[in-house]
Amino acid sequence: MTANVLDGKAIAGEIQAELAEQVTTWTEKHQVTPCLAALLVGDDPASQVYVRNKQRACKRVGLESQLHRLPANTTQQQVLDLVNQLNNDPAVHGILVQLPMPASIDASPVLDAIDPAKDVDAFHPENVGRLVQGRPRFLPCTPHGIQQLLHRYQIDVAGKRVVIVGRSDIVGKPLALMLMQRNCALGPAAVNATVTVCHSRTPDLPAITRQADILVAAIGQPQFVRADMVQPGATVIDVGINLTDDGLVGDVDFEAVKEVAAHITPVPRGVGPLTVSMLIYNTLQAARLQVQTDDAG
Ligand code: NDP
């Protein structure tokens, strides 16, 4: 069997085209252009690329974007002051703090300082709490991208055994929460999974991953998931982005696993482009919530 390759880039393009139409309609109605402000501290090269990609995507769909660059020697208080300034700026609807920040800055208080109504990455404890309770304001971007990808390829999650390798606050944990919900905006087939979350202390990991109907790798280890860790016919979602001497590779041994799986995401052109699309989605959602609150409709 050779797996069907799930084209994240194409789905991301489809979502961005839909969002561009919605942005045009909404902007005409409210005479406000949704705006995403990105905050970049230091000069990490990968972060600069990520922020640039996010700004380009904003432009493509008709959103405003701002880039606030601060030098690596910026103090914690200066970062907090900028977040506060953006919180109070009615022209800014979404705030994104690009991670990682320099070691001298403690990221948690900075993320906690973002107005939850502008928290388009959905990292604020209030937004995480809302997700846990099944009444999210924003869905975290990478897990939401994965959910959209499965939905648009008509791969139902309901009743399936989903195994997620990785328990980070950005990917593994929120994805588990999302897929175990009773319902969501995409309907009950996109949730209602039986979810297992694995990590570096999980004994006999392959015995668990082999039970997965849908296996998600969010580990950060190049080509960690081998063919013998995958149930024949499974759907394999590779979140990993690892820069190696051979170029960009995921957490899954793509060439070997595609001979076992029924569906698989590649790296690049897999989950990555969807993350950016869902950030745009959240920025429009943030503008809708803020402007509706301001003018009651
Ligand atoms: P983290 O480093 O925060 O988490 C990695 C997780 O993998 C941890 O829970 C860790 O376990 C687990 N892990 C590490 N080694 C093993 C192992 N040998 N066996 C089992 N579990 C293991 O990473 P992120 O979640 O932030 O990112 C994961 C990957 O996804 C990275 O490559 C990152 O670049 C990529 N990424 C891609 C995105 C995209 O848009 N495509 C977005 C975000 C991330 P433990 O908790 O025990 O340490």
Side-chain angles (χ1 to χ4, degrees), residues 142 165-168 171 199-200 218-221 224 239-242 272 275:
T142 303
V165 189
R167 57 175 162 182
S168 73
V171 188
H199 45 76
S200 66
I219 310 164
Q221 308 264 357
F224 180 89
V239 184
I241 300 176
N242 307 290
T275 299

